[in-house]
Amino acid sequence: MNDTAIQDRVLIFDTTLRDGEQSPGATMSHNEKLEIAQLLDEMGVDIIEAGFPIASEGDFNAVSEIAARSQNAVICGLSRADNRDIDRCWEAVKHAKQPRIHTFIGTSPLHRAIPNLNQDEMVERIHDTVTHARNLCDNIQWSPMDATRTEDDYLCRVVEVAIKAGATTINIPDTVGYTAPRESAELIRMLLEKVPGADEIIFATHCHNDLGMATANSLAAVEAGARQVECTINGLGERAGNTALEEVVMALKVRNDIMPYRTDIDTTKIMNISRRVATVSGFQVQYNKAIVGKNAFAHESGIHQDGMLKNAETFEIMRPEDVGLSETNIVMGKHSGRAALRSKLKDLGYEMGDNQLKDVFVRFKALADRKKEVYDDDLLALMNDEGTNAANDRVQVKSLRVVCGTEGPQQADLTLTIDGVDHSVSATGDGPVDASFNAVKQLFPHSATLQLYNVHAVTEGTDAQATVSVRMEEAGKIVVGQSADTDTVVASARAYVNALNKLLVRREKTAPA
Ligand code: KIV
Ligand code: ZN
C-alpha cells in the first residue's frame, strides 16, 4: 500500500447487487437496483459492485445506469477472464465518475479442471485478461476464485502475475465459506510477505458464510493487512450468504479499541437500507440477526429490562440510534396530521415532496382507521408496500371477499382490473389464500409457478399488519411480490398480483440472455 493514509482505513465494497442478487430468488427489478445503489452511495460505501454486465441485458442496463448516476462511490462490474466479458463490463461501468473492472477466474485445482487449463495456461490467461482490462481502465480488481482452496505457491504466483499485469486491487475470495479466522489472516499475511509488488496494491477479503464465520474471517483478514472488505446488506448472498456489511462496520466502530480501523459509512443509515433490501429481495431478516434483526435491541427478561432502565449500557454495546433506529416512542394514530407524519417518516429515513406525502397520507389514514396505533414498523411496511395498486400496474386488485371457516371449501369472490377493464370470478380452494390465488389464476391465466409464500406479522396484536412475500418463477425468471395489510388474505392476493405485474414487466423488458 503506497498511500499511508489508507493504513487505518478499510474500504467497504458492497456486492449486494451482484453476489447478493445472485442468490436464488433475490432478483431485483431495475428500479429497485437503482434505489439500493443510491442508498449505498448515500451511506458512504466506497465501491459498489453493481452487477455482472455480460449476464443479461437487464444486468448491463442496471450497471450502466447506476454508473451514470452515482455521485461518490467507485462503480464496479464483474467479468470472467474473457476479453469479451471484460469489454462488456467496461461498456457498462465507463459512465461512472470512478469506474472499476473486476475480473476473476477459479484458481483452485477443482476450478482449474473446469476450463481444463493447466497451471501455466491459466497464468497466461490471467496475464492476458488483466492486461486487456488495464488497457481499458486504470482501476482493476482481480480475484482468484476459491483462493482459500488454492495451493499457497500457486496462489502467490497468480497474484504476482495479476499485479504485474496491472491489477490495483487483489481480492481473496473464500468462495465456499471454508476458511477459519486464523487461516484467513495467515493467508493475507503470506501474500503480503511473499508476493513481489504486494505492498503496491490493496488486498480485499471476500467471505461466504457457510460455516457462520464470514464476518470473523473478514475481520481477521483486516487485522492481517487487508484493506477492503467485500460484503452485502443483511449478509444477502448465495447459500448461507456473504459477510454482512452492518456487522463489519459496527464491529469496527464498537471495538475500535482492538481493531483501530475506520470506514466512511454513515451507520445511522443501516437500518433503513437493511429493511429496503429485505423488502425488495423478499429475504426477511431473521429476528436474532446481529445489528439489524428485530430483536437486536429488544429486551424481554425482567433483569435485562430493569438494567436497561437504570443504564442502557448494562445490556447494550451500541445505541439503537447508532444504526438508525429511532428512539422516539411517538405512536401515530388516526388523529395524527400530515406534519407529524412527515416528521416521523423523516426520522425513519424517508424524505419526500408534497405530492408523495399526500399519497402516503391517504394510505396512512386508511390504515389508522383500521388499526388503533400505528407503530414505526407499520409505517415502514406501508412505505415498502408495493402491492397496493400502482397506477401503471396492468393488473390491479379491485375487491376481494372470502368465505372461510371449518366447513370447506373456502371461497374467494375477486374482481381484478386488467388493462383498465373489471373482471370478476368466484373460486374455491384449500383455505382462503388458496381460493384467492385460484381466482387470480382464473381471471389472469399464466404459467408462472409459486415458489414461496411467506407471511410475517409486522407488529404484535391481532390487528397487526401482515407483510406477505410471494416468489414466482416463469421460464427461469424469478420475481418477488410484496404487500402489507391488516387483512392477511388481502395482503396475499395483492402480493401475488404484484409479482404478476413484475413478471409482465420482465417479459417485456428482458432481452434474451
Ligand atoms: O465468491 C466468490 O468467489 C466471488 C467471486 C466472483 C469474487 O463472488
Ligand atoms: Zn462471492
Side-chain angles (χ1 to χ4, degrees):
M1 269 164 285
N2 40 14
D3 180 1
T4 47
I6 197 89
Q7 293 298 336
D8 73 334
R9 172 115 196 278
V10 172
L11 300 173
I12 300 295
F13 175 110
D14 183 277
T15 183
T16 307
L17 297 173
R18 199 279 297 168
D19 214 334
E21 210 240 0
Q22 217 165 290
S23 63
T27 319
M28 298 175 200
S29 71
H30 183 79
N31 286 344
E32 287 163 350
K33 288 182 190 173
L34 297 189
E35 183 199 339
I36 299 299
Q38 186 179 339
L39 293 175
L40 291 168
D41 199 26
E42 285 168 3
M43 88 186 294
V45 161
D46 298 281
I47 304 113
I48 298 173
E49 187 162 54
F52 198 166
I54 197 126
S56 70
E57 201 67 21
D59 251 43
F60 178 85
N61 292 337
V63 177
S64 309
E65 203 165 334
I66 290 168
R69 286 173 174 228
S70 280
Q71 295 302 316
N72 312 305
V74 171
I75 302 301
C76 172
L78 185 67
S79 49
R80 290 168 297 188
D82 176 296
N83 288 353
R84 276 165 314 170
D85 259 45
I86 292 171
D87 290 342
R88 188 79 175 141
C89 179
W90 174 240
E91 283 307 309
V93 296
K94 72 177 183 194
H95 308 285
K97 289 183 182 150
Q98 303 175 76
R100 173 181 291 189
I101 296 175
H102 178 189
T103 177
F104 75 100
I105 192 162
T107 51
S108 65
L110 281 165
H111 284 271
R112 292 200 299 268
I114 293 172
N116 197 16
L117 294 177
N118 66 32
Q119 293 197 354
D120 294 338
E121 288 163 344
M122 183 164 283
V123 163
E124 202 178 313
R125 171 86 71 94
I126 294 164
H127 173 267
D128 293 350
T129 49
V130 176
T131 306
H132 180 75
R134 184 59 199 255
N135 285 335
L136 297 169
C137 176
D138 58 13
N139 190 337
I140 302 300
Q141 172 163 329
W142 180 74
S143 298
M145 186 169 73
D146 208 12
T148 53
R149 294 191 299 170
T150 301
E151 307 89 325
D152 284 355
D153 286 352
Y154 190 58
L155 187 64
C156 288
R157 185 173 166 208
V158 289
V159 167
E160 183 180 346
V161 169
I163 294 174
K164 285 208 173 110
T168 43
T169 299
I170 299 288
N171 175 38
I172 302 300
D174 181 29
T175 306
V176 289
Y178 180 70
T179 199
R182 193 177 340 128
E183 193 180 58
S184 171
E186 277 163 8
L187 194 55
I188 296 291
R189 248 178 236 122
M190 175 198 74
L191 291 166
L192 278 165
E193 270 166 33
K194 291 198 177 161
V195 177
D199 55 342
E200 295 297 320
I201 54 95
I202 287 186
F203 275 104
T205 169
H206 176 113
C207 299
H208 282 266
N209 204 30
D210 299 65
L211 292 173
M213 293 192 281
T215 300
N217 290 337
S218 301
L219 291 171
V222 167
E223 292 195 77
R227 285 295 175 272
Q228 177 178 301
V229 174
E230 308 212 350
C231 44
T232 59
I233 302 293
N234 300 340
L236 193 66
E238 290 198 73
R239 308 184 308 277
N242 291 61
T243 297
L245 178 146
E246 60 278 5
E247 292 176 8
V248 170
V249 170
M250 290 313 288
L252 291 179
K253 188 176 169 120
V254 174
R255 294 312 313 271
N256 201 256
D257 53 335
I258 55 164
M259 294 182 285
Y261 315 103
R262 69 193 164 86
T263 73
D264 278 355
I265 300 293
D266 176 354
T267 63
T268 63
K269 298 201 186 296
I270 284 178
M271 206 48 102
N272 184 36
I273 192 166
S274 158
R275 286 169 169 156
R276 208 49 207 131
V277 167
T279 301
V280 301
S281 66
F283 279 58
Q284 296 290 343
V285 175
Q286 77 199 47
Y287 273 33
N288 57 341
K289 173 102 178 132
I291 322 290
V292 289
K294 203 172 171 139
N295 285 356
F297 295 92
H299 303 276
E300 180 76 37
S301 89
I303 298 175
H304 285 214
Q305 286 184 347
D306 185 52
M308 285 296 296
L309 290 172
K310 291 179 176 133
N311 179 353
E313 280 181 33
T314 49
F315 290 103
E316 273 181 9
I317 56 168
M318 56 201 139
R319 297 173 312 158
E321 311 83 281
D322 293 343
V323 297
L325 262 181
S326 104
E327 264 301 73
T328 57
N329 278 328
I330 306 168
V331 179
M332 308 286 289
K334 65 177 175 189
H335 300 298
S336 307
R338 210 173 286 227
L341 181 66
R342 186 196 287 276
S343 136
K344 180 60 142 180
L345 289 173
K346 192 167 173 235
D347 285 349
L348 294 173
Y350 293 92
E351 298 216 39
M352 59 192 69
D354 289 345
N355 279 346
Q356 200 190 351
L357 183 71
K358 208 163 134 194
D359 166 59
V360 175
F361 190 66
V362 172
R363 294 198 285 133
F364 159 71
K365 280 287 179 188
L367 176 63
D369 271 342
R370 280 176 289 145
K371 201 171 180 301
K372 224 167 64 197
E373 290 169 321
V374 179
Y375 298 99
D376 289 4
D377 284 336
D378 287 317
L379 287 174
L380 288 165
L382 188 88
M383 294 304 294
N384 289 330
D385 178 11
E386 301 166 342
T388 303
N389 309 328
N392 47 357
D393 281 351
R394 278 188 58 198
V395 188
Q396 310 199 339
V397 176
K398 183 164 187 196
S399 68
L400 173 66
R401 178 165 292 279
V402 292
V403 179
C404 61
T406 50
E407 307 302 320
Q410 286 73 26
Q411 183 182 320
D413 300 331
L414 175 73
T415 301
L416 291 182
T417 308
I418 304 171
D419 295 326
V421 181
D422 290 351
H423 302 265
S424 303
V425 78
S426 285
T428 55
D430 190 2
V433 174
D434 191 47
S436 307
F437 286 12
N438 286 340
V440 175
K441 274 182 242 162
Q442 285 183 29
L443 291 177
F444 194 84
H446 54 270
S447 58
T449 53
L450 183 69
Q451 289 201 326
L452 178 120
Y453 168 73
N454 183 310
V455 184
H456 162 83
V458 174
T459 54
E460 280 89 47
T462 48
D463 68 346
Q465 283 195 96
T467 294
V468 177
S469 301
V470 165
R471 189 193 301 160
M472 289 175 58
E473 193 261 350
E474 184 190 66
K477 297 188 189 87
I478 294 171
V479 290
V480 177
Q482 192 265 335
S483 189
D485 199 281
T486 49
D487 185 319
T488 310
V489 186
V490 170
S492 303
R494 286 195 175 135
Y496 190 86
V497 168
N498 179 232
L500 272 184
N501 280 306
K502 286 187 175 175
L503 269 181
L504 296 177
V505 172
R506 293 198 68 183
R507 268 190 213 162
E508 281 163 21
K509 281 200 182 155
T510 312

